[in-house]
Amino acid sequence: MDTVNINTTALAYIGDAVYEVYIREYVLAGGNANSDALHRKAVKFVSAAGQAKAAKGMFDSLDEEEKALVRRARNHKSASRPKNTEPMIYKWATALEALIGSVHLQGNISREREIISEAIRIIQGER
């Protein structure tokens, strides 16, 4: 699917869902625990601060098309205001979600996995 003409907010919408599933599978693979404990483990990965850290950390390694999408999503004017985070952190987080949504809708599952794996490494401080 050509995602160039899809609104970055819509890409972030689907990217958020895809990323959430990957993160839930990741924390579940780390050990069977109750849902409350799993949720607490997932928070650092799905929070705006974690996602922004990942987006900034991987930006230079993205190809030019991916960088352009991240910039477009990050700079998109939003009608809503984030409640518990700074606007620029929220914009970077949305940009990561839009990137994931874009590669997902393009059917590029291997790239989707690479991006999410890199996000996990960055958030954990391994990169």
Side-chain angles (χ1 to χ4, degrees):
M1 174 182 283
D2 179 22
T3 61
V4 173
N5 295 317
I6 297 177
N7 183 304
T8 56
T9 304
L11 293 174
Y13 174 77
I14 191 71
D16 176 57
V18 170
Y19 183 69
E20 177 80 22
V21 169
Y22 272 89
I23 295 303
R24 287 180 180 216
E25 289 176 352
Y26 175 76
V27 297
L28 186 61
N32 204 0
N34 66 44
S35 61
D36 188 51
L38 292 169
H39 173 74
R40 284 193 307 274
K41 288 179 184 179
V43 165
K44 74 177 179 180
F45 298 102
V46 298
S47 71
Q51 291 178 342
K53 178 181 179 180
K56 290 179 200 178
M58 71 174 67
F59 184 79
D60 289 338
S61 66
L62 300 175
D63 68 29
E64 291 307 314
E65 185 178 310
E66 292 168 339
K67 285 180 182 177
L69 174 68
V70 167
R71 282 189 210 100
R72 184 168 61 106
R74 187 189 65 207
N75 295 330
H76 180 79
K77 288 226 184 244
S78 176
S80 63
R81 290 274 180 216
K83 293 179 185 167
N84 299 316
T85 191
E86 295 177 33
M88 203 60 210
I89 290 172
Y90 183 77
K91 287 177 175 258
W92 273 104
T94 301
L96 176 67
E97 292 171 346
L99 175 61
I100 293 167
S102 177
V103 296
H104 178 78
L105 291 175
Q106 291 170 12
N108 193 345
I109 304 307
S110 64
R111 183 63 179 142
E112 178 182 299
R113 288 184 182 131
E114 289 172 2
I115 290 168
I116 295 171
S117 294
E118 184 65 8
I120 290 169
R121 281 191 294 277
I122 291 167
I123 294 166
Q124 288 181 319
E126 296 174 7
R127 176 176 172 244

